[in-house]
Amino acid sequence: MEFVQFSVKENVGILTVARPAALNALNDQVIRELSEALDQVDPGVVRCLIVRGEGEKAFVAGADIGQMSSLSKAEGQTFGKLGNDVFRKLETLPIPTIAAVCGFALGGGCELAMSCDIRLASETAVFGQPEVGLGITPGFGGTQRMARLIGVGRAKELLYTARKVKAPEALAIGLVQGVYPVETLMDEAMKLASRIAANAPIAVRAVKKAVNEGLQVDMDRAIVIEEELFGSCFETVDQKNAMAAFLEKRKADPFVNR
Ligand code: HXC
């Protein structure tokens, strides 16, 4: 892969968009490589995934404007679907995901961050959906995920105006869950990922599935989704060992992901 790197460090996967000459802008090759990298994430090994951009200036400055500029209607729709399919793959990845956003997260970059479960930002981070200033709509899920994440009114204000949001405001409106100096952002993301990775992996994955799938249906069906996932945990070695350790007043062994 030319523009995407994937590595694993102690149960935490790190996926890096690395096209710094174009501020990590997403052309079709980058998007295809992202898809390939996501296919490499093995939930048997990786318990949390961090998504980042190379360099300090940009997480991802959007979809590649040069590549988009001459698209026809049909090609535009195909490009949107290409990104949507990959971002949906990321959103529904069985393990938790954290976007570590340093610098610009604009357009497709903001959409990539919003496809992750949790967003941590550098103090220098800038978010936004500038698309209407370029004569297009957001096309990688921005209209849908932003409204779900920060509320319809706030999302529409940002989407209609193309206004950029700096890190403190992003924190205040719930677009990100933490803001840190550039130098410590990745350490903080690793700390959070490690904390998640230390919990029972099957239970953590079940929580993600319950939240994601439950939010798509009414409450009566949502609690059934939770009940089924809750029940499934009782077939796991980790549940048996952790509860036995509690009852025997001893420290639990590390979770085995079974
Ligand atoms: C292609 C991009 C790019 C992009 C930056 N670059 N963003 N190339 N697509 N989205 C390139 C520049 O052309 C330049 O290349 C290099 O990266 C450095 O960028 P500069 O503009 O010189 O840097 P600076 O002046 O510091 O400005 C940074 C910036 C600006 C504010 C982030 O680059 C910018 O506004 N970028 C576009 C942001 C945007 O509108 N994103 C949304 C795109 S639409 P050269 O070769 O000149 O050095 C979108 C739709 C998603 O994302 C859905 C699609 C279906």
Side-chain angles (χ1 to χ4, degrees):
M1 287 191 283
E2 190 182 350
F3 297 127
V4 174
Q5 296 153 5
F6 176 63
S7 61
V8 180
K9 197 173 155 191
E10 291 162 13
N11 293 331
V12 175
I14 302 174
L15 195 158
T16 305
V17 180
R19 196 188 168 209
L23 301 187
N24 304 325
L26 305 170
N27 61 19
D28 59 349
Q29 185 181 342
V30 179
I31 296 168
R32 281 183 226 282
E33 289 185 8
L34 270 173
S35 182
E36 238 180 272
L38 290 172
D39 290 339
Q40 289 175 24
V41 178
D42 174 4
V45 177
V46 182
R47 298 186 182 181
C48 187
L49 179 73
I50 297 172
V51 179
R52 61 186 288 275
E54 187 171 308
E56 294 183 354
K57 187 165 176 184
F59 172 70
V60 165
D64 191 305
I65 298 172
Q67 198 174 57
M68 281 188 298
S69 60
S70 58
L71 295 183
S72 67
K73 176 182 170 183
E75 288 166 341
Q77 200 168 337
T78 301
F79 185 59
K81 179 166 167 45
L82 175 73
N84 273 334
D85 287 350
V86 178
F87 285 22
R88 188 76 180 127
K89 188 189 278 190
L90 172 62
E91 185 172 47
T92 58
L93 205 69
I95 57 168
T97 55
I98 300 168
V101 178
C102 190
F104 293 107
L106 300 175
C110 188
E111 291 170 309
L112 178 64
M114 292 192 294
S115 301
C116 293
D117 294 320
I118 299 166
R119 281 149 295 286
L120 303 184
S122 67
E123 289 167 347
T124 57
V126 178
F127 294 82
Q129 299 290 157
E131 283 89 347
V132 291
L134 291 165
I136 56 173
T137 69
F140 293 157
T143 56
Q144 303 310 306
R145 293 197 179 92
M146 186 175 272
R148 284 164 171 78
L149 273 177
I150 63 170
V152 176
R154 272 201 184 108
K156 284 179 173 169
E157 185 257 316
L158 293 178
L159 294 165
Y160 295 165
T161 60
R163 183 168 70 79
K164 293 187 178 71
V165 169
K166 292 184 178 165
E169 183 182 357
L171 183 64
I173 64 177
L175 187 56
V176 304
Q177 284 63 60
V179 175
Y180 304 97
V182 168
E183 307 75 49
T184 60
L185 174 64
M186 267 312 283
D187 288 345
E188 294 293 341
M190 274 305 288
K191 242 191 268 175
L192 177 59
S194 302
R195 193 166 174 175
I196 292 169
N199 285 316
I202 295 171
V204 171
R205 297 203 295 270
V207 169
K208 172 166 178 170
K209 198 170 159 66
V211 174
N212 279 6
E213 293 184 10
L215 283 174
Q216 306 308 317
V217 299
D218 63 60
M219 184 58 97
D220 288 321
R221 284 196 286 163
I223 52 173
V224 173
I225 292 172
E226 187 189 76
E227 283 159 17
E228 286 171 0
L229 287 161
F230 175 72
S232 72
C233 294
F234 290 87
E235 288 186 317
T236 66
V237 172
D238 282 336
Q239 174 271 328
K240 294 198 187 335
N241 287 347
M243 289 197 179
F246 175 82
L247 294 172
E248 291 159 18
K249 301 193 185 306
R250 59 176 170 81
K251 194 173 175 297
D253 296 330
F255 292 108
V256 295
N257 202 2
R258 276 188 284 119

